[in-house]
Amino acid sequence: MKVVLLNSTYEISKAVSSIIIEQITQKPDSVLGFATGSSPVETYKRIIEAYENGEVSLKDITTFNLDEYCGLPHENENSYYYFMKDNLFGKTDVDYNKVHFLSGTTGDIDKECQVYRDDIEKAGGIDIQLLGVGTNGHIGFNEPSESFTDGPFKVKLAESTIKANSRFFEDGQVPEYALTMGIGDIMKAKKILLIATGASKTHAVKQMIEGEVTPHCPASILQNHPDATIFIDNESAALLDKKNF
Ligand code: F6R
């Protein structure tokens, strides 16, 4: 696991977006795994700027998002599909035929999860998986538990996740369940970039980087990935023993 400590969210967004843009430049039909939430928003802005400046085209990429709330259709403003449309896809030339999402409204969850896994494999696997981390150490919606998950599945969200994400919901009503890629899916990505900034992430960052590898902090598994880079700022790094990376 490589750790990069930078001074600001802006610097992190420049560093992470450059890696993604370079990947697309080298391989225009790259397969990219995207995350939602606050952490990647600035990075998406930098990618949009690069697109607007003619530096990159997203028309040939294939995308897989990490997760989606159960019960929310694409048109719902709180769905993660809507988020991606609003924060990246709708502002670039992404081809929606190559956009993949777990469906929060499917009637057949097992099939939905199996098809998603098959689709990732058929696409040749994920070249870069972008991640945030929950305050409880979750990645995707793999909440702390007794064992690491494998493929996509339906999860009951932890109370801390519901509380943390209620800031996005006007009525505060966060769905209790979501579909998420499993840890096995995330670990298969060829390259992983995780962004963790701000004071609320200090404990998760400490456990993820310096703690033991345990499903009680799902992000700690990234210590075992051959090409995972964690981007942190001074605030989220506050509890780390080691500060020179
Ligand atoms: C989002 C996701 C989550 C978030 C995490 C951090 O698709 O899978 O794991 O990355 O909850 O959220 P933010 O970035 O809002 O702090």
Side-chain angles (χ1 to χ4, degrees):
M1 176 190 268
K2 193 175 148 200
V3 181
V4 176
L5 172 60
L6 293 170
N7 282 324
S8 67
T9 303
Y10 180 76
E11 278 185 35
I12 291 177
S13 73
K14 285 294 281 179
V16 175
S17 63
S18 305
I19 297 170
I20 295 173
I21 291 164
E22 178 63 17
Q23 168 71 33
I24 302 172
T25 305
Q26 294 300 323
K27 184 185 169 203
D29 62 349
S30 287
V31 180
L32 301 177
F34 286 131
T36 58
S38 310
S39 304
V41 169
E42 286 297 314
T43 295
Y44 293 153
K45 282 188 189 157
R46 302 292 87 75
I47 296 174
I48 293 165
E49 284 164 12
Y51 163 72
E52 286 172 346
N53 294 337
E55 292 161 33
V56 71
S57 164
L58 276 61
K59 72 179 174 45
D60 293 325
I61 66 167
T62 294
T63 73
F64 289 91
N65 259 81
L66 280 168
D67 38 24
E68 182 58 283
Y69 289 115
C70 287
L72 301 191
H74 287 352
E75 315 74 66
N76 187 299
E77 286 187 16
N78 289 313
S79 74
Y80 281 166
Y81 185 91
Y82 196 97
F83 175 99
M84 289 307 297
K85 226 174 123 178
D86 211 26
N87 285 282
L88 181 66
F89 298 160
K91 293 172 176 156
T92 63
D93 58 350
V94 157
D95 176 356
Y96 282 93
N97 294 315
K98 299 194 185 93
V99 165
H100 297 263
F101 252 86
L102 283 157
S103 164
T105 55
T106 178
D108 188 341
I109 288 168
D110 288 346
K111 188 169 165 215
E112 179 70 17
C113 292
Q114 188 54 52
V115 167
Y116 207 64
R117 193 160 221 200
D118 293 346
D119 283 347
I120 295 175
E121 211 175 296
K122 272 189 239 157
I126 292 174
D127 292 307
I128 295 185
Q129 176 65 56
L130 185 57
L131 296 175
V133 63
T135 51
N136 64 1
H138 74 213
I139 45 176
F141 274 142
N142 293 273
E143 302 287 24
S145 70
E146 294 307 316
S147 56
F148 286 114
T149 58
D150 185 19
F153 70 107
K154 180 177 175 178
V155 62
K156 184 169 182 357
L157 298 175
E159 271 312 312
S160 60
T161 299
I162 291 178
K163 204 169 150 214
N165 289 4
S166 62
R167 69 190 194 278
F168 294 113
F169 288 73
E170 259 177 37
D171 58 3
Q173 295 299 305
V174 183
E176 271 181 67
Y177 291 90
L179 297 189
T180 181
M181 276 189 205
I183 292 291
D185 302 312
I186 293 171
M187 287 298 279
K188 275 190 208 148
K190 289 158 203 155
K191 181 190 269 304
I192 292 179
L193 307 173
L194 185 147
I195 300 172
T197 57
S200 68
K201 302 290 169 73
T202 50
H203 289 281
V205 162
K206 170 85 178 162
Q207 280 191 352
M208 166 173 63
I209 297 173
E210 292 180 348
E212 60 167 327
V213 175
T214 163
H216 295 290
C217 175
S220 63
I221 192 82
L222 300 177
Q223 292 177 27
N224 293 343
H225 192 279
D227 188 1
T229 307
I230 314 296
F231 293 84
I232 53 176
D233 65 359
N234 291 308
E235 281 187 326
S236 66
L239 293 177
L240 291 179
D241 294 330
K242 185 175 166 225
K243 292 276 168 48
N244 303 322
F245 299 102

